[in-house]
Amino acid sequence: MDTKLKTGKNYIYVTKENHAKKYFKNSKLIAIINAPLYKDFNRTYKVFFMKNFKGY
């Protein structure tokens, strides 16, 4: 995949853990989403603002 056109762009990234931060100049946690699926089970996701994509 050619990422040249995407370099320098900003993104919103929703994930359990921020494994993509090494591909961006900055990343900032902007929200935590907790989704209760059952009485005794939930999922937690983190929302990051990822700034200035550096490419792969």
Side-chain angles (χ1 to χ4, degrees), residues 1-4 6-7 11 20 22-24 53-56:
M1 180 167 115
D2 184 13
T3 60
K4 288 180 185 177
K6 309 294 183 199
T7 303
Y11 294 90
K22 63 185 174 185
Y23 300 112
F24 291 84
F53 179 63
K54 298 187 284 186
Y56 294 112

Side-chain angles (χ1 to χ4, degrees), residues 30-46:
I30 57 175
I32 296 176
I33 300 170
N34 187 38
L37 301 176
Y38 301 102
K39 185 171 108 177
D40 61 343
F41 182 78
N42 66 34
R43 291 281 184 185
T44 301
Y45 296 97
K46 298 174 183 171

Side-chain angles (χ1 to χ4, degrees), residues 8-52:
K9 303 271 184 182
N10 300 331
Y11 294 90
I12 299 294
Y13 182 50
V14 180
T15 184
K16 289 183 181 182
E17 295 299 326
N18 189 358
H19 297 291
K21 63 184 173 186
K22 63 185 174 185
Y23 300 112
F24 291 84
K25 184 175 179 182
N26 295 314
S27 67
K28 180 180 179 182
L29 179 65
I30 57 175
I32 296 176
I33 300 170
N34 187 38
L37 301 176
Y38 301 102
K39 185 171 108 177
D40 61 343
F41 182 78
N42 66 34
R43 291 281 184 185
T44 301
Y45 296 97
K46 298 174 183 171
V47 182
F48 292 90
F49 177 67
M50 309 296 280
K51 191 171 181 179
N52 293 324

